[in-house]
Short mmCIF file of all heavy atoms in Angstrom, two decimals:
data_model
loop_
_atom_site.label_atom_id
_atom_site.label_comp_id
_atom_site.label_asym_id
_atom_site.label_seq_id
_atom_site.Cartn_x
_atom_site.Cartn_y
_atom_site.Cartn_z
N VAL A 9 0.64 -8.14 23.71
CA VAL A 9 0.61 -7.24 24.85
C VAL A 9 -0.02 -7.82 26.04
O VAL A 9 0.07 -7.39 27.16
CB VAL A 9 0.05 -5.81 24.56
CG1 VAL A 9 0.95 -5.11 23.54
CG2 VAL A 9 -1.35 -5.97 24.02
N GLY A 10 -0.91 -8.99 25.88
CA GLY A 10 -1.55 -9.55 27.03
C GLY A 10 -1.89 -10.99 26.73
O GLY A 10 -2.09 -11.42 25.68
N LEU A 11 -1.75 -11.69 27.90
CA LEU A 11 -2.12 -13.09 27.90
C LEU A 11 -3.08 -13.45 29.06
O LEU A 11 -2.78 -13.07 30.15
CB LEU A 11 -0.80 -14.05 28.07
CG LEU A 11 0.15 -13.97 26.92
CD1 LEU A 11 1.41 -14.70 27.35
CD2 LEU A 11 -0.35 -14.64 25.66
N VAL A 12 -4.12 -14.20 28.75
CA VAL A 12 -5.00 -14.53 29.81
C VAL A 12 -5.28 -16.06 29.63
O VAL A 12 -5.84 -16.48 28.60
CB VAL A 12 -6.36 -13.74 29.73
CG1 VAL A 12 -7.32 -14.20 30.74
CG2 VAL A 12 -6.08 -12.31 29.76
N LEU A 13 -4.98 -16.79 30.69
CA LEU A 13 -5.25 -18.21 30.60
C LEU A 13 -6.70 -18.49 31.01
O LEU A 13 -7.26 -17.82 31.92
CB LEU A 13 -4.30 -19.01 31.52
CG LEU A 13 -2.93 -18.99 31.30
CD1 LEU A 13 -2.13 -19.87 32.27
CD2 LEU A 13 -2.57 -19.39 29.87
N GLU A 14 -7.31 -19.27 30.25
CA GLU A 14 -8.73 -19.59 30.56
C GLU A 14 -8.90 -20.90 31.46
O GLU A 14 -7.86 -21.55 31.81
CB GLU A 14 -9.43 -19.90 29.22
CG GLU A 14 -9.45 -18.77 28.28
CD GLU A 14 -10.14 -19.04 26.96
OE1 GLU A 14 -10.22 -20.19 26.59
OE2 GLU A 14 -10.64 -18.16 26.34
N ASN A 15 -10.10 -21.04 31.91
CA ASN A 15 -10.42 -22.24 32.74
C ASN A 15 -9.71 -22.22 34.07
O ASN A 15 -9.22 -23.27 34.61
CB ASN A 15 -10.24 -23.54 32.02
CG ASN A 15 -11.04 -23.66 30.77
OD1 ASN A 15 -12.15 -23.11 30.79
ND2 ASN A 15 -10.56 -24.41 29.77
N ALA A 16 -9.53 -21.04 34.63
CA ALA A 16 -8.87 -20.88 35.96
C ALA A 16 -7.47 -21.47 35.97
O ALA A 16 -6.99 -22.02 36.94
CB ALA A 16 -9.69 -21.48 37.10
N ALA A 17 -6.85 -21.34 34.91
CA ALA A 17 -5.33 -21.70 34.74
C ALA A 17 -5.14 -23.26 35.00
O ALA A 17 -4.06 -23.70 35.36
CB ALA A 17 -4.47 -20.93 35.65
N GLU A 18 -6.17 -24.02 34.67
CA GLU A 18 -6.04 -25.46 34.81
C GLU A 18 -5.46 -25.97 33.39
O GLU A 18 -6.06 -25.59 32.43
CB GLU A 18 -7.38 -26.21 35.04
CG GLU A 18 -7.83 -26.02 36.49
CD GLU A 18 -6.99 -26.68 37.53
OE1 GLU A 18 -6.54 -27.83 37.20
OE2 GLU A 18 -6.75 -26.09 38.62
N PRO A 19 -4.46 -26.72 33.45
CA PRO A 19 -3.88 -27.14 32.09
C PRO A 19 -4.79 -28.15 31.40
O PRO A 19 -5.42 -29.04 32.05
CB PRO A 19 -2.54 -27.82 32.57
CG PRO A 19 -2.74 -28.17 33.94
CD PRO A 19 -3.67 -27.18 34.44
N GLU A 20 -4.79 -28.07 30.08
CA GLU A 20 -5.49 -29.08 29.26
C GLU A 20 -4.57 -30.39 29.26
O GLU A 20 -5.16 -31.53 29.20
CB GLU A 20 -5.70 -28.64 27.87
CG GLU A 20 -6.70 -27.53 27.69
CD GLU A 20 -6.82 -27.06 26.35
OE1 GLU A 20 -6.13 -27.61 25.43
OE2 GLU A 20 -7.58 -26.14 26.12
N HIS A 21 -3.35 -30.13 29.42
CA HIS A 21 -2.34 -31.24 29.27
C HIS A 21 -1.16 -30.86 30.25
O HIS A 21 -0.63 -29.83 30.10
CB HIS A 21 -1.94 -31.47 27.92
CG HIS A 21 -0.78 -32.37 27.80
ND1 HIS A 21 -0.85 -33.72 27.82
CD2 HIS A 21 0.56 -32.14 27.56
CE1 HIS A 21 0.37 -34.26 27.75
NE2 HIS A 21 1.19 -33.34 27.50
N LEU A 22 -0.86 -31.85 31.18
CA LEU A 22 0.37 -31.58 31.88
C LEU A 22 1.01 -32.91 32.03
O LEU A 22 0.48 -33.81 32.52
CB LEU A 22 -0.04 -31.04 33.34
CG LEU A 22 1.18 -30.87 34.29
CD1 LEU A 22 2.05 -29.76 33.83
CD2 LEU A 22 0.69 -30.51 35.73
N GLU A 23 2.29 -32.89 31.70
CA GLU A 23 3.17 -34.13 31.65
C GLU A 23 4.46 -33.90 32.36
O GLU A 23 5.12 -32.96 32.04
CB GLU A 23 3.36 -34.58 30.22
CG GLU A 23 4.08 -35.85 30.11
CD GLU A 23 4.29 -36.33 28.75
OE1 GLU A 23 3.55 -35.82 27.79
OE2 GLU A 23 5.22 -37.01 28.42
N LEU A 24 4.65 -34.65 33.36
CA LEU A 24 5.91 -34.64 34.12
C LEU A 24 6.74 -35.80 33.68
O LEU A 24 6.28 -36.92 33.48
CB LEU A 24 5.68 -34.69 35.58
CG LEU A 24 5.02 -33.45 36.20
CD1 LEU A 24 4.51 -33.79 37.66
CD2 LEU A 24 5.99 -32.41 36.29
N ALA A 25 8.06 -35.53 33.52
CA ALA A 25 8.99 -36.59 33.14
C ALA A 25 9.13 -37.59 34.29
O ALA A 25 8.88 -37.29 35.48
CB ALA A 25 10.38 -36.06 32.81
N GLY A 26 9.46 -38.89 33.98
CA GLY A 26 9.64 -39.87 35.08
C GLY A 26 10.62 -39.49 36.17
O GLY A 26 10.32 -39.88 37.35
N ASP A 27 11.65 -38.85 35.75
CA ASP A 27 12.63 -38.50 36.75
C ASP A 27 12.41 -37.18 37.49
O ASP A 27 13.10 -36.77 38.34
CB ASP A 27 14.11 -38.48 36.18
CG ASP A 27 14.23 -37.44 35.01
OD1 ASP A 27 13.16 -36.84 34.67
OD2 ASP A 27 15.38 -37.35 34.53
N GLY A 28 11.33 -36.49 36.99
CA GLY A 28 10.92 -35.22 37.62
C GLY A 28 11.82 -34.05 37.28
O GLY A 28 11.65 -32.95 37.95
N SER A 29 12.53 -34.10 36.18
CA SER A 29 13.43 -33.03 35.86
C SER A 29 12.88 -32.12 34.77
O SER A 29 13.34 -30.96 34.61
CB SER A 29 14.80 -33.53 35.38
OG SER A 29 14.60 -34.26 34.19
N ARG A 30 11.88 -32.65 34.07
CA ARG A 30 11.17 -31.80 33.03
C ARG A 30 9.66 -31.91 33.13
O ARG A 30 9.23 -32.89 33.55
CB ARG A 30 11.76 -32.23 31.63
CG ARG A 30 13.20 -31.98 31.44
CD ARG A 30 13.51 -32.24 30.03
NE ARG A 30 14.85 -31.89 29.71
CZ ARG A 30 15.24 -30.62 29.37
NH1 ARG A 30 14.37 -29.67 29.28
NH2 ARG A 30 16.60 -30.32 29.19
N ALA A 31 9.06 -30.90 32.46
CA ALA A 31 7.60 -31.03 32.34
C ALA A 31 7.17 -30.19 31.22
O ALA A 31 7.86 -29.31 30.69
CB ALA A 31 6.95 -30.40 33.66
N SER A 32 5.90 -30.44 30.75
CA SER A 32 5.35 -29.62 29.67
C SER A 32 3.86 -29.51 29.94
O SER A 32 3.25 -30.39 30.58
CB SER A 32 5.59 -30.34 28.28
OG SER A 32 4.84 -31.51 28.19
N ALA A 33 3.29 -28.30 29.51
CA ALA A 33 1.88 -28.16 29.75
C ALA A 33 1.27 -27.32 28.66
O ALA A 33 1.97 -26.59 27.89
CB ALA A 33 1.69 -27.40 31.07
N HIS A 34 -0.14 -27.57 28.34
CA HIS A 34 -0.82 -26.85 27.34
C HIS A 34 -2.00 -26.18 28.07
O HIS A 34 -2.68 -26.88 28.84
CB HIS A 34 -1.31 -27.77 26.32
CG HIS A 34 -0.26 -28.56 25.60
ND1 HIS A 34 -0.58 -29.49 24.69
CD2 HIS A 34 1.07 -28.39 25.53
CE1 HIS A 34 0.63 -30.01 24.20
NE2 HIS A 34 1.62 -29.27 24.68
N TYR A 35 -2.25 -24.89 27.84
CA TYR A 35 -3.34 -24.21 28.45
C TYR A 35 -4.15 -23.50 27.27
O TYR A 35 -3.55 -22.97 26.30
CB TYR A 35 -2.86 -23.08 29.35
CG TYR A 35 -2.14 -23.54 30.61
CD1 TYR A 35 -0.78 -23.88 30.55
CD2 TYR A 35 -2.74 -23.72 31.76
CE1 TYR A 35 -0.09 -24.28 31.71
CE2 TYR A 35 -2.18 -24.17 32.90
CZ TYR A 35 -0.74 -24.41 32.77
OH TYR A 35 -0.15 -24.85 33.94
N SER A 36 -5.37 -23.31 27.44
CA SER A 36 -6.23 -22.45 26.54
C SER A 36 -5.93 -21.10 27.08
O SER A 36 -5.98 -20.75 28.13
CB SER A 36 -7.68 -22.83 26.64
OG SER A 36 -7.92 -24.07 26.12
N CYS A 37 -5.80 -20.17 26.01
CA CYS A 37 -5.53 -18.70 26.43
C CYS A 37 -6.08 -17.81 25.39
O CYS A 37 -6.43 -18.20 24.32
CB CYS A 37 -4.04 -18.52 26.62
SG CYS A 37 -3.01 -18.35 25.19
N VAL A 38 -6.15 -16.65 25.78
CA VAL A 38 -6.60 -15.49 24.89
C VAL A 38 -5.37 -14.55 24.82
O VAL A 38 -4.80 -14.15 25.81
CB VAL A 38 -7.80 -14.70 25.49
CG1 VAL A 38 -8.09 -13.54 24.64
CG2 VAL A 38 -9.03 -15.62 25.65
N VAL A 39 -4.97 -14.29 23.63
CA VAL A 39 -3.77 -13.47 23.35
C VAL A 39 -4.31 -12.16 22.81
O VAL A 39 -4.98 -12.10 21.81
CB VAL A 39 -2.92 -14.18 22.28
CG1 VAL A 39 -1.64 -13.30 21.96
CG2 VAL A 39 -2.38 -15.54 22.73
N GLU A 40 -3.83 -11.06 23.45
CA GLU A 40 -4.20 -9.76 23.00
C GLU A 40 -2.94 -9.23 22.27
O GLU A 40 -1.83 -9.24 22.76
CB GLU A 40 -4.53 -8.88 24.18
CG GLU A 40 -5.77 -9.19 24.89
CD GLU A 40 -6.07 -8.26 26.06
OE1 GLU A 40 -5.41 -7.18 26.14
OE2 GLU A 40 -6.99 -8.55 26.83
N THR A 41 -3.27 -8.68 21.10
CA THR A 41 -2.15 -8.01 20.28
C THR A 41 -2.55 -6.62 19.94
O THR A 41 -3.81 -6.22 19.97
CB THR A 41 -2.02 -8.83 19.04
OG1 THR A 41 -3.21 -8.95 18.27
CG2 THR A 41 -1.42 -10.17 19.23
N GLU A 42 -1.48 -5.78 19.76
CA GLU A 42 -1.76 -4.42 19.51
C GLU A 42 -0.87 -4.07 18.24
O GLU A 42 0.27 -4.36 18.25
CB GLU A 42 -1.41 -3.55 20.66
CG GLU A 42 -1.58 -2.11 20.50
CD GLU A 42 -1.26 -1.28 21.78
OE1 GLU A 42 -2.16 -1.29 22.64
OE2 GLU A 42 -0.19 -0.77 21.90
N HIS A 43 -1.49 -3.44 17.31
CA HIS A 43 -0.74 -3.00 16.04
C HIS A 43 -0.99 -1.57 15.79
O HIS A 43 -2.03 -1.01 16.03
CB HIS A 43 -1.24 -3.85 14.84
CG HIS A 43 -1.04 -5.34 15.03
ND1 HIS A 43 0.23 -5.92 14.96
CD2 HIS A 43 -1.99 -6.35 15.37
CE1 HIS A 43 0.10 -7.20 15.06
NE2 HIS A 43 -1.25 -7.43 15.40
N ALA A 44 0.09 -0.85 15.44
CA ALA A 44 0.00 0.60 15.12
C ALA A 44 -0.87 0.77 13.87
O ALA A 44 -0.86 -0.01 12.91
CB ALA A 44 1.34 1.08 14.88
N LEU A 45 -1.61 1.86 13.89
CA LEU A 45 -2.41 2.21 12.77
C LEU A 45 -1.49 2.81 11.67
O LEU A 45 -0.70 3.68 11.90
CB LEU A 45 -3.42 3.25 13.09
CG LEU A 45 -4.52 2.89 14.07
CD1 LEU A 45 -5.38 4.06 14.50
CD2 LEU A 45 -5.40 1.79 13.43
#
């Protein structure tokens, strides 16, 4: 139900393809989950 990126949304890893058509990134985050009782 919720996602919060840590470290002011600075990626731990950001890689852009040489031709600039693709990219990938890794961020530290806190995931909030909610489950019914």
Side-chain angles (χ1 to χ4, degrees):
V9 294
L11 294 170
V12 178
L13 294 185
E14 295 180 337
N15 300 329
E18 288 293 321
E20 291 179 0
H21 168 77
L22 177 65
E23 182 179 336
L24 290 167
D27 61 355
S29 64
R30 295 187 172 277
S32 65
H34 302 168
Y35 296 86
S36 294
C37 74
V38 175
V39 178
E40 291 183 12
T41 56
E42 182 176 282
H43 300 284
L45 293 174

